Amino acid sequence: EQDVTEVIKDTMADKRFAAIFDSVGSQDTLALGIPLLEEAGTYENLAVHNTQVSFNASLMGSERTITSSSNAYYSVLVEAFELLNTG
């Protein structure tokens, strides 16, 4: 089993993402996603749970943003991914 962090680093090299959409909303996905944001990037948590999460606050430097959205229909999520794929 491959470590997803290493696969992303191997594929993207030093590139970062303007936006990350997290449809899991766990401590692990938050810890994986935030370091991959470019400056002024947005981390969108689509799965909000009643749980504590923590992260290194210094990773939010350079005007990065965490937002959340939940209670959407699955069809809306599918449409959002389709729109993202169109560029």
Side-chain angles (χ1 to χ4, degrees):
E1 184 174 309
Q2 291 181 310
D3 177 4
V4 73
T5 304
E6 292 306 315
V7 171
I8 291 170
K9 286 180 182 177
D10 290 345
T11 303
M12 299 300 294
D14 291 332
K15 295 178 185 170
R16 297 292 178 248
F17 299 93
I20 294 176
F21 294 84
D22 181 351
S23 62
V24 177
S26 71
Q27 175 68 50
D28 290 341
T29 56
L30 184 73
L32 172 66
I34 290 177
L36 297 173
L37 284 174
E38 67 181 22
E39 293 181 357
T42 300
Y43 186 93
E44 180 71 33
N45 184 8
L46 301 172
V48 180
H49 308 286
N50 186 16
T51 186
Q52 296 284 325
V53 294
S54 61
F55 58 91
N56 182 336
S58 69
L59 294 173
M60 297 306 297
S62 299
E63 299 185 19
R64 292 175 180 94
T65 304
I66 297 177
T67 63
S68 65
S69 176
S70 63
N71 302 321
Y73 295 106
Y74 180 75
S75 62
V76 174
L77 177 63
V78 171
E79 181 181 359
F81 286 138
E82 289 171 353
L83 290 169
L84 287 170
N85 283 328
T86 64

